[in-house]
């Protein structure tokens, strides 16, 4: 699941990025309003974490521009804790929730998770397909009732495949779904992770369509 984190405080942004990555999110970062607006217009995101006090272009203006263009990603705004007017302005501009600074990372993670449940079509925290159960909250996988250990990257990839079960998904699309904006890894690394998933889950679950991509089977 890809997120856009817009925060000009590098120390705060780095800490949040690490915490979100540890929860199996893919995180793109922007430190100014101009880049943030462009990135959200070019890439699909599950949600945006948006600081309002940004250089280049204020966060509130960025948010209004997104909404005017029909970009409806759920947005969690970060505001000064004592600035009630910022919160009101942000919500009126189209934000879905807000969090005052300073805050605890666990509170942000909990609010983000609740926001995603409310605003996405995949609101159920569990996916169960063909004997495989994926639990978003516990970040775990069970195959025929037995828990299987996955790395964070394997979990991201499997989650994306299961959410699009039955679809043929191109390698490039998978790569963009699980790696961040600045990644320079070889796209063929996807083949390595597909092979690992097959070893752990069983070869029958993920089908290769030569020249097209991969498909998670609804039935095996």
């Amino acid at each position: 699941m890809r997120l856009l984190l817009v925060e000009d405080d590098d120390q705060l942004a780095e800490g949040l990025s690490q915490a979100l990555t540890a929860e199996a999110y893919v995180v793109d970062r922007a430190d100014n309003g101009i880049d943030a607006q462009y990135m959200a217009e070019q890439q699909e995101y599950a949600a945006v974490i948006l600081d309002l006090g940004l250089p280049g272009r204020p966060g509130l203006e960025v948010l209004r521009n997104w909404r005017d263009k029909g970009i409806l990603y759920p947005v969690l705004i970060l505001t000064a804790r004592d600035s009630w007017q910022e919160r009101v302005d942000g919500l009126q501009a189209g934000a879905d929730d807000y969090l005052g600074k300073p805050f605890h990372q666990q509170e942000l993670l909990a609010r983000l998770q609740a926001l995603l449940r409310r605003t996405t079509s995949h609101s159920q925290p569990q996916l169960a397909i063909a004997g495989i159960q994926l639990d978003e909250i516990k970040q775990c996988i069970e195959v025929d009732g037995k828990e299987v250990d996955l790395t964070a990257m394997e979990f991201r990839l499997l989650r994306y495949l299961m959410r699009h079960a039955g679809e043929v998904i191109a390698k490039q699309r998978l790569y963009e779904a699980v790696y961040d904006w600045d990644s320079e890894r070889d796209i063929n690394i996807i083949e390595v992770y597909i092979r690992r998933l097959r070893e752990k889950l069983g070869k029958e679950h993920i089908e290769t369509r030569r020249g097209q991509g991969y498909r998670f089977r609804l039935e095996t």
Side-chain angles (χ1 to χ4, degrees), residues 30-182:
D31 61 6
N32 65 83
I34 295 172
D35 287 347
Q37 184 171 324
Y38 172 79
M39 291 170 71
E41 291 171 359
Q42 300 299 313
Q43 174 68 53
E44 183 177 350
Y45 292 103
V48 179
I49 300 169
L50 177 67
D51 184 29
L52 294 187
L54 296 171
R57 185 171 295 157
L60 198 60
E61 182 181 340
V62 172
L63 177 56
R64 286 177 175 144
N65 289 342
W66 283 339
R67 296 315 193 220
D68 288 344
K69 293 183 178 182
I71 296 173
L72 302 177
Y73 309 135
V75 173
L76 171 65
I77 56 172
L78 305 180
T79 74
R81 184 169 293 278
D82 59 353
S83 179
W84 64 267
Q85 189 61 55
E86 269 195 345
R87 303 176 193 178
V88 172
D89 290 344
L91 292 171
Q92 288 180 339
D96 298 275
D97 198 359
Y98 66 83
L99 187 60
K101 294 180 179 180
F103 54 82
H104 292 288
Q105 286 185 355
Q106 289 303 314
E107 182 181 4
L108 182 141
L109 291 171
R111 283 179 175 269
L112 176 64
Q113 199 168 63
L115 179 60
L116 290 168
R117 285 199 300 269
R118 290 199 309 269
T119 58
T120 70
S121 59
H122 304 290
S123 58
Q124 294 301 317
Q126 294 187 351
L127 294 171
I129 303 171
I132 296 179
Q133 183 164 302
L134 181 149
D135 192 313
E136 291 265 13
I137 305 299
K138 297 179 181 179
Q139 297 278 298
C140 68
I141 299 291
E142 290 186 357
V143 180
D144 296 327
K146 297 181 180 179
E147 189 166 336
V148 175
D149 291 328
L150 297 182
T151 65
M153 183 57 66
E154 291 165 353
F155 184 88
R156 290 179 200 164
L157 186 59
L158 179 61
R159 177 173 58 191
Y160 192 83
L161 286 166
M162 290 182 69
R163 283 184 166 173
H164 298 275
E167 299 178 26
V168 178
I169 304 174
K171 188 192 299 184
Q172 180 67 38
R173 182 177 164 192
L174 284 174
Y175 181 86
E176 292 173 354
V178 298
Y179 282 111
D180 61 42
W181 184 279
D182 295 323

